[in-house]
């Protein structure tokens, strides 16, 4: 039986009428593609075969397999085919191509899709394979959060802090209810409709209130109800049990996961036993089964079923994962900064170190297997994963703590942790580097420019390099994120953007830097990276540039390995041999001439 390598932290989706039929994404010849899995026969079938790979897959109650066919910019449309194979068809006809903003299919084949079209989001409704009909078109970033089981109600989600964070709509686009997420009420997230019960549609939500995250539900009869007995101190997501009587809660807390069952009728919150580590996904299934995707730093992800249901076998690694993991807490102005520190075992420290900087910023590092950590530790580096201020998993106050400004707060935390680890004798002061992707790559650039000489090398993959220029060219969702972080647009608060932009400090960069960028990146656009590289050239700063013929999100595993090897060699040369990089020309390489794709880190 073949073993599969997972590309995304998700369990297989299960057919509601036949739980033995599933859909999942996994490696196929170095690309992420969609597969079916028949648990009864333990057989998989590859569904998609696309040059750039396929990340988004789903299955409906009639066991039709769905996927989003997108180009390198993330623009495309939904398609489907029968579980056992056959011709594929558009999910809805007449729907313009755009970015994926949600898919929902009812048991009677009513289909709703959300499509991002430029600065607008369009919700379309129809019957599977038939013509789509526009329900609503809204300005800005939004997504389809759910379709009620009878197809008579849709949930449209905007940003969690918006005055109309969630809107309930009738199929004709008429507004049924608008649920606020502004400062007076607290941020609000929609998680999806529950199973049909007595003809009543129930929407599951999470409300942030009083420094807690509270489970909430909405029905037409009762409106929005917050369940104060189910309040947790850090972020969580939730999904319905098949009978609709309870909710499974997966909480991210201090770099690890906790699982709970919330019984809505009994108003009881019960802990579900799980091994220490991280649950990348968990879902209750019919018949009392519970599927989970578990990992920790020493173990690659594995799927489990409490009922023993055969799930797709995942790939393994030869031998044990090298290194030991320590939790380090560094005192800070807004509380201790938590670091997951992986140390080599072969020789005594202190070690050369790489700070692997997560992106987001609304994300966090976890006690989870990471191939980059594995490679670096096996190469003799200590690896520090720092959950700086602004990270999720440590409560609302921690996520809002930006006392030194955007980026500078996070760089201050990285510097404080570095000093702490040096003082403890765990890492070398003269051999510490940074490596980050997307917003993590942005922090690498900002750190090297604002604190020259503190770090001896940096790797920035698909970074924000000029915040104002990136804002002008980025997607509506990212522009909205920027405006929340800075309190306005570059036109309204130009100095805030300039103060936090790496390009302002490019002339101060003194240590070797590898910049990896993508020619089709719509999240961290290429032109602002080119401007940054030109500023490095003008200043004579030591750097290398690798241009990729891809977008921001890439699903090619072979290309990921290519970039991983390039970065590890670069860091080894800079941190262990003290060689300064010679700046090569920073022009983008043409497609097919050394260009590679690199999957985004989350």
């Amino acid at each position: 039986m073949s073993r599969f390598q997972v590309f995304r932290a998700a369990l297989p989706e299960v057919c509601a009428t036949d739980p033995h039929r599933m859909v999942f994404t996994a490696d196929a010849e170095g690309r992420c593609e969609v597969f079916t899995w028949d648990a009864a026969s333990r057989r998989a079938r590859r569904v998609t075969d696309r040059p750039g790979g396929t990340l988004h897959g789903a299955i409906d109650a009639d066991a039709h397999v769905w996927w989003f066919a997108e180009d390198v910019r993330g623009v495309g449309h939904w398609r489907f085919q029968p579980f056992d194979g056959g011709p594929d068809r558009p999910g809805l006809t007449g729907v313009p191509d755009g970015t994926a903003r949600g898919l929902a299919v009812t048991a009677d084949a009513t289909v709703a899709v959300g499509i991002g079209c430029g600065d607008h989001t369009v919700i379309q409704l129809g019957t599977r394979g038939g013509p789509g009909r526009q329900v609503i078109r809204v300005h800005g970033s939004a997504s389809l959060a759910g379709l009620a089981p009878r197809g008579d109600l849709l949930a449209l989600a905007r940003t969690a802090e918006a005055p109309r964070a969630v809107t309930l709509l009738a199929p004709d686009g008429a507004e049924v209810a608008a649920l606020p997420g502004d400062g007076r009420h607290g941020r609000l997230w929609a998680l999806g409709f529950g199973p049909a019960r007595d003809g009543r549609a129930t929407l599951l939500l999470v409300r942030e209130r009083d420094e807690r995250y509270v489970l909430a539900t909405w029905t037409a009869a009762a409106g929005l109800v917050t369940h104060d007995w189910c309040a947790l101190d850090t972020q969580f997501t939730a999904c319905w049990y098949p009978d609709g009587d309870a909710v499974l809660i997966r909480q991210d807390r201090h770099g690890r996961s906790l699982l709970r069952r919330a019984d809505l009728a009994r108003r009881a919150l019960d802990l579900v036993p799980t091994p220490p580590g991280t649950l990348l996904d968990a879902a209750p299934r019919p018949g009392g089964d519970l599927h989970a995707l578990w990992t920790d730093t020493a173990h690659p992800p594995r799927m489990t079923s409490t009922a023993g249901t055969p799930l797709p076998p995942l790939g393994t690694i030869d031998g044990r994962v090298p290194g030991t993991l320590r939790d380090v807490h560094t005192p800070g102005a807004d509380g201790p900064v938590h670091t997951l520190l992986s140390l080599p075992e072969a020789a005594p420290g202190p070690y050369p170190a790489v700070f692997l900087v997560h992106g987001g910023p609304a994300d966090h590092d976890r006690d989870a297997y990471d191939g980059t950590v594995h490679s670096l530790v096996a190469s003799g580096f200590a690896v520090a994963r720092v959950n700086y201020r602004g990270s999720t998993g440590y409560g609302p106050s921690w996520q809002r703590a930006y006392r030194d400004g955007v980026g500078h707060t996070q760089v201050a935390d990285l510097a404080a942790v570095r000093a702490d680890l040096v003082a403890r004798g765990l890492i070398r002061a003269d051999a510490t580097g940074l490596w980050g992707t997307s917003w993590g790559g942005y922090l690498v650039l900002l750190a090297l420019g604002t604190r020259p000489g503190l770090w001896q090398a940096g790797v920035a993959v698909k970074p924000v390099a000029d915040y104002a220029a990136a804002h002008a060219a980025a997607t509506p969702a990212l522009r909205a994120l920027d405006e929340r972080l800075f309190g306005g647009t570059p036109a309204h608060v130009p100095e805030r953007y300039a103060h936090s932009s790496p390009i302002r400090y490019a002339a101060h960069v003194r240590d070797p830097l590898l910049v990896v960028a993508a020619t089709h990146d719509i999240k961290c656009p290429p032109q602002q990276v080119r401007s940054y590289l030109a500023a490095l050239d003008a200043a004579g700063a030591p750097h290398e540039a690798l241009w990729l013929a891809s977008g921001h999100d890439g699903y090619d595993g072979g290309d990921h390995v290519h970039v991983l090897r390039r970065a590890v060699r670069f860091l080894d040369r800079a941190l262990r041999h003290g060689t300064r990089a010679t700046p090569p020309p920073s022009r983008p390489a043409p497609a097919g001439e050394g260009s590679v794709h690199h999957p985004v880190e989350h």
Side-chain angles (χ1 to χ4, degrees), residues 45-356:
R45 179 180 72 86
R46 179 173 170 179
V47 177
T48 58
D49 185 3
R50 303 179 59 253
T54 314
L55 183 66
H56 305 286
I59 188 169
D60 65 27
D62 292 330
H64 287 91
V65 181
W66 292 75
W67 67 93
F68 193 72
E70 62 187 287
D71 61 20
V72 294
R73 301 168 299 147
V75 173
H77 60 276
W78 287 97
R79 302 188 70 83
F80 73 95
Q81 71 171 222
F83 185 87
D84 293 319
D88 58 86
R89 300 165 55 193
L92 293 173
T93 61
V95 176
D97 280 3
T99 55
R101 301 279 177 86
L103 167 74
V105 187
T106 67
D108 68 355
T110 299
V111 177
V113 297
I115 297 291
C117 300
D119 287 341
H120 291 79
T121 300
V122 177
I123 305 298
Q124 297 259 353
L125 191 68
T127 301
R128 182 179 55 224
R133 173 181 57 80
Q134 182 173 302
V135 176
I136 194 171
R137 179 184 177 91
V138 299
H139 181 74
S141 177
S143 62
L144 175 71
L147 176 64
R150 298 198 304 179
D152 56 348
L153 200 60
L154 301 95
L156 176 73
R158 293 181 174 86
T159 59
E161 51 279 292
R164 301 162 66 86
V166 180
T167 305
L168 284 303
L169 301 167
D172 62 2
E175 183 177 299
V176 176
L179 310 181
D182 53 24
R184 186 166 65 90
H185 297 88
R187 295 192 295 172
L188 186 70
W189 297 265
L191 301 180
F193 286 99
R197 291 171 56 87
D198 305 322
R200 180 186 64 192
T202 304
L203 181 66
L204 187 66
L205 307 107
V206 175
R207 166 78 81 190
E208 180 187 307
R209 190 173 67 187
D210 299 329
E211 296 300 312
R212 311 278 283 181
Y213 297 91
V214 187
L215 193 71
T217 51
W218 179 92
T219 61
L224 183 64
V225 177
T226 52
H227 302 280
D228 294 329
W229 53 272
C230 187
L232 301 175
D233 61 346
T234 62
Q235 285 89 346
F236 66 85
T237 189
C239 58
W240 293 95
Y241 277 80
D243 59 10
D245 287 331
V247 170
L248 184 69
I249 291 175
R250 178 166 54 91
Q251 182 187 12
D252 292 321
R253 191 173 193 278
H254 300 185
R256 293 177 174 85
S257 300
L258 295 170
L259 203 60
R260 293 180 169 88
R261 184 181 190 274
D263 190 309
L264 300 180
R266 294 193 299 115
R267 296 168 56 89
L269 190 61
D270 302 314
L271 192 66
V272 178
T274 57
T278 295
L279 291 166
L280 300 173
D281 197 6
R285 303 303 189 196
D289 198 2
L290 177 64
H291 294 180
L293 181 60
W294 176 89
T295 180
D296 68 8
T297 299
H299 299 90
R302 63 176 183 236
M303 296 183 190
T304 62
S305 162
T306 56
T309 302
L311 298 174
L314 300 185
T316 59
I317 59 172
D318 295 329
R320 60 184 294 272
V321 175
T324 59
L325 180 67
R326 291 192 189 184
D327 289 88
V328 179
H329 296 87
T330 301
D334 293 292
V337 182
H338 179 206
T339 299
L340 297 163
L341 180 65
S342 295
L343 297 172
E345 300 169 298
Y351 306 97
V354 176
F355 282 62
L356 202 58

Side-chain angles (χ1 to χ4, degrees), residues 285-535:
R285 303 303 189 196
D289 198 2
L290 177 64
H291 294 180
L293 181 60
W294 176 89
T295 180
D296 68 8
T297 299
H299 299 90
R302 63 176 183 236
M303 296 183 190
T304 62
S305 162
T306 56
T309 302
L311 298 174
L314 300 185
T316 59
I317 59 172
D318 295 329
R320 60 184 294 272
V321 175
T324 59
L325 180 67
R326 291 192 189 184
D327 289 88
V328 179
H329 296 87
T330 301
D334 293 292
V337 182
H338 179 206
T339 299
L340 297 163
L341 180 65
S342 295
L343 297 172
E345 300 169 298
Y351 306 97
V354 176
F355 282 62
L356 202 58
V357 187
H358 75 73
D363 200 351
H364 64 276
D365 273 315
R366 301 157 171 82
D367 179 11
Y369 177 79
D370 186 312
T372 303
V373 175
H374 184 155
S375 297
L376 288 168
V377 172
S379 300
F381 293 101
V383 179
R385 291 175 285 171
V386 180
N387 283 326
Y388 48 70
R389 282 171 289 178
S391 301
T392 55
Y394 296 82
S397 293
W398 188 257
Q399 194 175 350
R400 293 193 301 265
Y402 281 79
R403 69 169 62 212
D404 297 324
V406 175
H408 296 281
T409 300
Q410 290 70 37
V411 169
D413 286 346
L414 295 172
V417 171
R418 176 196 171 280
D420 186 22
L421 298 182
V422 169
R424 296 177 189 230
L426 297 172
I427 68 173
R428 287 172 44 189
D430 62 342
T432 59
L434 297 159
W435 182 348
T437 297
S438 194
W439 212 75
Y442 154 71
L443 292 178
V444 171
L445 300 184
L446 191 65
L448 292 187
T450 58
R451 300 179 186 236
L454 185 65
W455 312 93
Q456 283 69 55
V459 176
V461 181
K462 300 179 182 177
V464 175
D466 180 339
Y467 237 123
H471 179 275
T475 64
L478 288 176
R479 290 201 299 271
L481 171 62
D482 294 345
E483 290 159 25
R484 292 196 301 274
L485 285 175
F486 289 102
T489 67
H492 293 128
V493 288
E495 182 52 34
R496 293 182 190 174
Y497 281 81
H499 177 63
S500 294
S501 290
I503 197 167
R504 170 179 273 196
Y505 312 98
H508 302 298
V509 173
R510 295 290 179 267
D511 296 294
L513 171 61
L514 170 62
V515 178
V516 182
T519 56
H520 303 293
D521 196 330
I522 62 173
K523 295 181 180 179
C524 297
Q527 187 54 49
Q528 50 100 31
V529 178
R530 293 189 184 102
S531 298
Y532 180 81
L533 292 173

